[in-house]
Amino acid sequence: MGADNRDHAINLDALCKAAGVSKRSMYQLFESKGELWAVSLEERASACVATLLPEADDNRSSGERIMHVFDQLASQAGAPDFQGCRYLAVQIELKDQSHPASRVAHRVKENLTAFFRAEAEQGGASGPNLLARQLILVFDGASARAGIKADTPTGLIAPTVQPARTNSRGGALIAWRSTPTSARNVIDRPKGASPLGLASRNRSVYGGETVRFLAVKASLEPESPGVRMTAARDAEGQRATPAPRLPAKLAAHPSVQAVLARRRADDAVNPPAVIDADWLRELCLAAGADDAAAVGLDHPDLVDEREYVQSALPGTRTLIAMAVRMNRDNCRSPARSVANQEFHQTDEQANHAARTVTQALQDAGYRALNPSVGFPQEMDRFPSERIWVVAHKTVAVAAGLGVMGLHRNVIHPKFGSFVLLVTVLVDAEVSAYGQALDYNPCIDCKLCVAACPVGAIAKDGAFDALACTSHNYREFMSGFTDWAQTVADSEDAADYRSRVTDSESASMWQSLSSPPGYKSGYCLAVCPAGEDVLGPYLDDRKTFMDTVLRPLQDKKETLYVLPGSHAQEYARRRFPHKPVKEVTGGWQSPAKRSTSPDRETRTS
């Protein structure tokens, strides 16, 4: 797949001199050296394919066609100037999937993997995706070692074990063995076809465990009738599952007999131990997500999530983060009923998408679980412990769906702050995990600081969580507790109505009869970050602030603050037109009720 991996190291002046063109002419044709490198790789791709892959419809068996690739590699590796696969070298050198040359190299390698997969399917492999990944790993490992002159494939393509037996139709069996189990992934080949000639032994990380696989060059040999391997998935991969020893009464049950019959017929659900990342992303998008990425539970940024996640779904290995867009102007409206409906409808869509993905994974044979986007949560832990099963924001950032902004919302690089996040837990690894963004989509405009009516967000990045929850979550957990205490503490209806306005009572009723309403969310509403969102702010910042920020600042509304807090001082100073009301927020026990008929009326 190429003998010279030094394209990137060529001096640009020397290149232009050899080509007989000026650097100015070169840059008129190519935007950068990287693009030139990519075009060079692209130009060689066709020759690479023609040299490496067999001709289409050459009437050879799938095993022989796969073996052709390794024969060609062995031939190339014998050349003195062979330096390994140039496309693999590009990916190793750059470590940047967005680089033009990396994209070309990735496509070429994916095409080779697709060839292996297609031949495996044609040959009847029970796990063509897995076999294709194993073969590309052997190919890359062999070419890399040959490139550094540590070894050569020559002589390795030969039998190293006892010949494999054939099946009852005369087809040779190509098996992979995993350690410590004896699983086999079987390809049935046409009678009389030459068996696959690869006997290279390698090690790879597969499903979190070390896996050995062995593709055997076998001669045809009759097999005893009825011999058959049944693959069944376990925590380490796929393995042969012996018939369980069951009590006679249980074994006679019709459902049990149906399950065992499916296993004997090889119809049981046997999913790959490693979920294909492309398939998973397509599943998430089809379910209604606007973006999705997976991250392993062993990611260092998720150390605080592991206990809670494993408690919810023991055996979880991967977290799937999904983002669902919200309609921006709904969120920005001073009419909070519009904004709250947008929040809750998107919440429902995200939960539905996560449930759909969970169901698909379950149907494929995995264990999966989708905690809610917001509520319900684990209220038996409130308020001494965290009430959420998984921190969706933390997972999304680790998976590369965005970066936490100054306003403590995840900013998606495209959709900005206008997303709701949800997570699916699954008991399998994924073939590729998302990578954290290498930049922050936040443009440091500080509009969230200006919009927050209780000063919870500071310019220096400090965040007053208590101020935020006391106001924004007024009709949630602790705010409801505070309201209930007010009801209990009121002497009669007149006393209650002296403490709570009619609009406050109606708003609480609305939150009890439908999803609870947020009082603010302005920090999210005014955020201009994100490629799909940023345009109007860049075009006319004054108009943006006049139409998005100021209507929220000018709105007359009650602000709920803790007595003597910074939020109280800030709200009175910064927004004198907004009534400020002291509340306990439900965070502290009420004072002992006075028996005096003229006791001081307390504000709630």
Side-chain angles (χ1 to χ4, degrees):
M1 237 171 156
D4 189 355
N5 297 323
R6 297 170 296 178
D7 297 6
H8 63 288
I10 295 176
N11 181 274
L12 198 57
D13 292 327
L15 181 63
C16 292
K17 182 178 180 180
V21 298
S22 65
K23 289 178 67 174
R24 178 178 180 182
S25 298
M26 192 281 290
Y27 279 116
Q28 287 177 338
L29 297 172
F30 306 100
E31 292 185 0
S32 65
K33 182 180 175 182
E35 183 181 349
L36 173 60
W37 188 9
V39 171
S40 173
L41 290 170
E42 190 77 69
E43 288 292 325
R44 303 183 195 187
S46 297
C48 165
V49 170
T51 302
L52 201 60
L53 301 186
E55 295 182 3
D57 302 323
D58 61 359
N59 295 321
R60 286 189 288 177
S61 69
S62 297
E64 289 175 313
R65 290 173 58 79
I66 291 173
M67 201 58 238
H68 175 90
V69 175
F70 290 92
D71 287 335
Q72 293 300 103
L73 172 61
S75 176
Q76 293 179 13
D81 60 348
F82 183 77
Q83 295 184 8
C85 171
R86 65 164 51 92
Y87 298 98
L88 176 63
V90 165
Q91 293 175 304
I92 294 173
E93 175 72 20
L94 292 176
K95 299 180 179 65
D96 178 5
Q97 296 182 3
S98 64
H99 191 284
S102 283
R103 291 199 295 267
V104 174
H106 178 75
R107 185 170 65 253
V108 172
K109 301 300 290 186
E110 282 298 304
N111 289 341
L112 179 56
T113 305
F115 166 80
F116 287 144
R117 184 184 304 113
E119 294 300 328
E121 291 173 349
Q122 182 67 26
S126 61
N129 289 331
L130 173 60
L131 184 57
R133 290 177 57 230
Q134 292 173 338
L135 289 170
I136 195 68
L137 183 61
V138 174
F139 180 94
D140 284 344
S143 62
R145 286 184 60 79
I148 63 174
K149 310 305 179 186
D151 204 345
T152 172
T154 305
L156 293 180
I157 306 173
T160 58
V161 297
Q162 291 295 323
R165 294 179 293 181
T166 61
N167 60 21
S168 57
R169 298 189 304 275
L173 304 181
I174 302 166
W176 64 270
R177 301 179 185 270
S178 70
T179 302
T181 64
S182 59
R184 289 200 168 125
N185 188 356
V186 177
I187 296 180
D188 292 338
R189 298 164 36 129
K191 183 176 181 179
S194 299
L196 182 67
L198 179 65
S200 173
R201 195 168 196 163
N202 266 290
R203 297 176 70 86
S204 69
V205 175
Y206 175 64
E209 301 292 338
T210 300
V211 171
R212 286 179 186 164
F213 58 87
L214 185 61
V216 183
K217 181 171 183 178
S219 61
L220 297 178
E221 177 184 354
E223 179 185 285
S224 301
V227 174
R228 189 179 186 111
M229 296 299 296
T230 302
R233 179 175 175 274
D234 71 355
E236 295 177 1
Q238 292 178 331
R239 69 179 182 184
T241 303
R245 300 181 65 179
L246 304 172
K249 183 177 180 180
L250 180 60
H253 192 282
S255 297
V256 175
Q257 291 183 351
V259 170
L260 297 179
R262 284 203 305 271
R263 289 183 179 178
R264 288 192 295 270
D266 219 7
D267 292 333
V269 176
N270 303 312
V274 178
I275 300 172
D276 181 78
D278 292 336
W279 174 85
L280 180 61
R281 177 173 170 78
E282 290 174 7
L283 171 64
C284 293
L285 298 183
D290 291 292
D291 199 2
V295 60
L297 185 57
D298 59 355
H299 190 287
D301 292 347
L302 301 182
V303 63
D304 292 335
E305 297 301 309
R306 292 170 194 161
E307 177 184 353
Y308 297 97
V309 166
Q310 291 290 2
S311 175
L313 183 68
T316 297
R317 304 183 76 171
T318 294
L319 305 178
I320 305 163
M322 295 189 287
V324 178
R325 285 184 297 167
M326 293 188 286
N327 294 316
R328 296 189 291 274
D329 286 317
N330 282 350
C331 297
R332 290 168 172 166
S333 175
R336 288 290 88 189
S337 61
V338 176
N340 277 303
Q341 178 168 264
E342 181 64 28
F343 295 149
H344 294 308
Q345 287 192 345
T346 309
D347 184 292
E348 291 176 3
Q349 291 176 3
N351 278 325
H352 177 75
R355 185 178 183 276
T356 301
V357 170
T358 297
Q359 191 169 52
L361 291 170
Q362 174 185 278
D363 292 345
Y366 302 101
R367 296 184 66 226
L369 176 146
N370 60 297
S372 63
V373 173
F375 295 91
Q377 297 188 27
E378 301 299 300
M379 289 303 166
D380 59 319
R381 302 175 184 169
F382 181 80
S384 58
E385 299 179 54
R386 74 178 226 181
I387 59 177
W388 49 93
V389 173
V390 62
H392 300 304
K393 294 179 183 179
T394 303
V395 174
V397 171
L401 291 190
V403 176
M404 196 75 76
L406 193 67
H407 54 0
R408 300 313 190 269
N409 291 299
V410 172
I411 304 178
H412 188 277
K414 184 176 182 182
F415 310 131
S417 296
F418 297 93
V419 293
L420 285 186
L421 304 168
V422 68
T423 308
V424 172
L425 286 54
V426 64
D427 68 338
E429 291 194 348
V430 176
S431 61
Y433 288 133
Q435 300 297 317
L437 292 184
D438 57 3
Y439 73 101
N440 192 339
C442 175
I443 62 172
D444 203 29
C445 64
K446 301 294 195 300
L447 291 186
C448 57
V449 177
C452 181
V454 293
I457 309 169
K459 291 181 180 181
D460 62 1
F463 182 69
D464 187 344
L466 203 56
C468 175
T469 54
S470 295
H471 174 64
N472 192 37
Y473 291 83
R474 171 62 186 164
E475 292 170 4
F476 291 74
M477 304 86 67
S478 57
F480 170 80
T481 300
D482 183 72
W483 173 79
Q485 290 171 180
T486 301
V487 174
D489 201 40
S490 299
E491 295 181 338
D492 51 30
D495 185 23
Y496 169 80
R497 298 186 77 157
S498 71
R499 301 162 181 259
V500 182
T501 66
D502 289 347
S503 64
E504 287 176 317
S505 293
S507 182
M508 186 62 74
W509 165 84
Q510 181 170 262
S511 286
L512 292 173
S513 61
S514 62
Y518 299 92
K519 291 297 183 183
S520 184
Y522 297 167
C523 56
L524 179 153
V526 301
C527 180
E531 294 173 11
D532 283 2
V533 187
L534 191 54
Y537 178 80
L538 298 179
D539 293 340
D540 191 335
R541 293 192 294 279
K542 182 179 184 303
T543 297
F544 184 91
M545 288 188 282
D546 286 344
T547 58
V548 176
L549 173 64
R550 290 207 171 88
L552 299 175
Q553 291 178 321
D554 294 343
K555 180 182 178 180
K556 186 176 180 180
E557 59 186 332
T558 300
L559 305 181
Y560 299 93
V561 298
L562 298 178
S565 63
H566 167 73
Q568 183 180 51
E569 181 276 327
Y570 179 91
R572 286 173 173 170
R573 171 173 51 83
R574 184 70 181 80
F575 299 103
H577 61 288
K578 296 178 185 277
V580 176
K581 194 167 191 176
E582 291 184 358
V583 296
T584 68
W587 300 112
Q588 50 189 280
S589 300
K592 185 177 180 180
R593 179 170 179 158
S594 172
T595 57
S596 172
D598 59 345
R599 63 187 174 87
E600 180 182 351
T601 301
R602 286 173 294 153
T603 323
S604 83

